[in-house]
Amino acid sequence: MLAGKHFAVVGEERALWQEERPGEPGEDGCNSGEERGGAARTPAQGKSNLRFLLVKGRIIRCVLFDLGDTLWYRKDLETWRRLEFAANCQAIALLRTHLESCSLPDQDDLTLGRSLRVAFDAQTRARIRRDPSHEPDGAEVAMETLAQLGWGQIDRQLGAALFEALRVRIIDSRLLYDDALSTLAELRRRGFLLGVVTNRLWGGPPFQEDLRAFGLFEYFAPATIAISADLGVRKPDPAIFLHTLRALNVSPSEAAMVGDSLRSDIVGAKRLGLLAIWKPKPRVREALQARLVAPGAASASTSVSFGHSESFSPPTVGSAVSDLPPDLPPGLHVTDDDYVLSTVQGPGSDPLALLASDVEEYKPDLMIEHLSDLLEIFPKAGAL
């Protein structure tokens, strides 16, 4: 395994990363299933030099964060399956009270609920791919899904209730990374302004309640949290980033964006001129490590398993294989932006292919492994 935390993109040579502190042992305390490591920069260049090179000439006063797989991650597979199945059955129970019995197929609630969820997710992806800049209206998606399934026509009020029934609460299904709150607290102590820019279909008061329960309102004021579901606009569209930047009275050149998605977080940041900091999913890091250990062994055409959290992977027990889209890379969730946007932005769902492409906006300015790595990059707000 390769050691090191910070990753600088190499320019024209097409090598993906430079090395830093080779041979340094990994740290303890990683989350379940997560492994330390990654590439490192050349020994002659230290952390302070890397920070200088990447932030040279810039005054960084603000750090924006994505949420999913950045500040938090999904709980274990069994917990996720249980919560999603419960939400699915709740949605079917709602339909049974409002639709005639003949409208629904003669199947048990578990089977109906799974069919509803799969169709709903597919309808959501289709809408985003038709209009990537806008978050779909959940009630409208629910209405379209029922019509597509042939289960009948419903009005918007029932569509909104059905959409809400399908919600899996964040506080029940996610865990904050171990260093999330401590890193936010230290960044704030150092004088940085903090904000959130997140793509998600479910927002509103329940989502705000979950943020409060996690303790995140200690570090992010509601006005500085841009939620695509509430604003109607999605990353990488500049408008959702500007919503938070304006609330903080910060220009793009004074801000950094931290996120796990090359297609939404990194592309959006680079289009606006923010410092783009990539915190990749653990299995993506592993794939990068494999490429560095054996150059050329991993390529855009190589089949690589990419995960979206430390311990979660798509269901393989208790659900049909056909539930998953055939083009979904192993380990990626159907709602991940890097998958959803793969048919809109080339080339495919493989982060290695994106990094190796000639498209500069896919290439982050910096890569970190843990949130606490930010403390080594930003010693003080406004400092180089």
Side-chain angles (χ1 to χ4, degrees), residues 5 49 89 103 105 114 116 124 130 202 207 218 224 238 245 265 267 270 276 301-302 304 317 345:
K5 296 177 180 177
N49 197 25
C89 289
S103 298
R114 189 167 65 226
L116 176 62
T124 301
R130 287 196 301 268
W202 281 273
F207 186 67
E218 291 292 318
T224 66
L245 291 174
D265 299 312
V267 168
K270 299 204 77 169
S301 61
T302 301
V304 182
V317 179
Q345 307 169 358

Side-chain angles (χ1 to χ4, degrees), residues 33-334:
E34 178 179 357
E35 296 190 8
R36 301 286 183 182
R41 293 197 324 127
T42 53
Q45 298 171 314
K47 285 182 291 184
S48 59
N49 197 25
L50 172 62
R51 181 173 63 229
F52 174 78
L53 289 172
L54 291 172
V55 194
K56 182 181 179 181
R58 303 185 65 158
I59 303 299
I60 301 297
R61 301 195 297 120
C62 167
V63 184
L64 305 183
F65 292 89
D66 175 45
L67 291 177
D69 292 312
T70 300
L71 291 184
W72 64 49
Y73 61 96
R74 294 174 190 268
K75 291 183 179 179
D76 61 275
L77 172 60
E78 288 305 317
T79 298
W80 177 259
R81 287 176 57 205
R82 174 174 53 80
L83 293 171
E84 188 172 77
F85 288 173
N88 295 348
C89 289
Q90 179 175 284
I92 296 302
L94 176 69
L95 291 177
R96 290 194 184 280
T97 63
H98 288 84
L99 299 179
E100 296 182 8
S101 58
C102 60
S103 298
L104 297 175
D106 185 18
Q107 297 174 330
D108 61 80
D109 285 6
L110 191 63
T111 301
L112 290 174
R114 189 167 65 226
S115 297
L116 176 62
R117 176 73 65 174
V118 170
F120 180 87
D121 287 344
Q123 192 68 240
T124 301
R125 289 195 303 277
R127 277 202 164 208
I128 293 172
R129 288 167 173 172
R130 287 196 301 268
D131 187 5
S133 294
H134 294 92
E135 191 67 71
D137 182 297
E140 291 182 1
V141 175
M143 295 165 65
E144 290 180 0
T145 299
L146 252 64
Q148 180 190 43
L149 289 170
W151 293 2
Q153 301 288 332
I154 60 174
D155 59 23
R156 181 174 179 82
Q157 183 177 1
L158 182 54
L162 180 62
F163 172 63
E164 185 59 37
L166 288 168
R167 182 195 295 259
V168 175
R169 291 292 293 261
I170 297 296
I171 194 63
D172 298 326
S173 59
R174 271 75 164 181
L175 292 171
L176 290 175
Y177 284 98
D178 290 344
D179 58 352
L181 296 183
S182 60
T183 298
L184 294 175
E186 181 59 21
L187 286 173
R188 185 178 64 178
R189 189 192 70 78
R190 295 180 183 186
F192 288 94
L193 300 172
L194 305 177
V196 167
V197 183
T198 181
N199 283 350
R200 54 193 55 256
L201 191 58
W202 281 273
F207 186 67
Q208 298 281 342
E209 292 169 6
D210 289 345
L211 294 178
R212 185 182 301 278
F214 270 133
L216 292 177
F217 280 172
E218 291 292 318
Y219 309 101
F220 305 108
T224 66
I225 301 174
I227 305 166
S228 62
D230 299 333
L231 299 176
V233 61
R234 306 182 85 254
K235 296 179 292 186
D237 191 285
I240 191 168
F241 294 90
L242 290 173
H243 176 90
T244 296
L245 291 174
R246 287 166 180 159
L248 293 167
N249 194 27
V250 172
S251 67
S253 64
E254 298 175 302
M257 175 67 196
V258 184
D260 70 295
S261 171
L262 292 175
R263 293 185 180 278
S264 59
D265 299 312
I266 302 307
V267 168
K270 299 204 77 169
R271 286 179 180 176
L272 265 180
L274 284 75
L275 186 69
I277 302 177
W278 188 38
K279 180 179 178 288
K281 300 170 178 62
R283 292 187 190 176
V284 175
R285 286 201 312 271
E286 293 169 7
L288 288 171
Q289 291 167 2
R291 178 160 185 164
L292 287 163
V293 169
S299 65
S301 61
T302 301
S303 176
V304 182
S305 177
F306 296 116
H308 68 282
S309 76
E310 281 67 17
S311 56
F312 183 90
S313 59
T316 56
V317 179
S319 64
V321 174
S322 60
D323 286 357
L324 302 177
D327 61 341
L328 180 69
L332 219 60
H333 194 265
V334 293

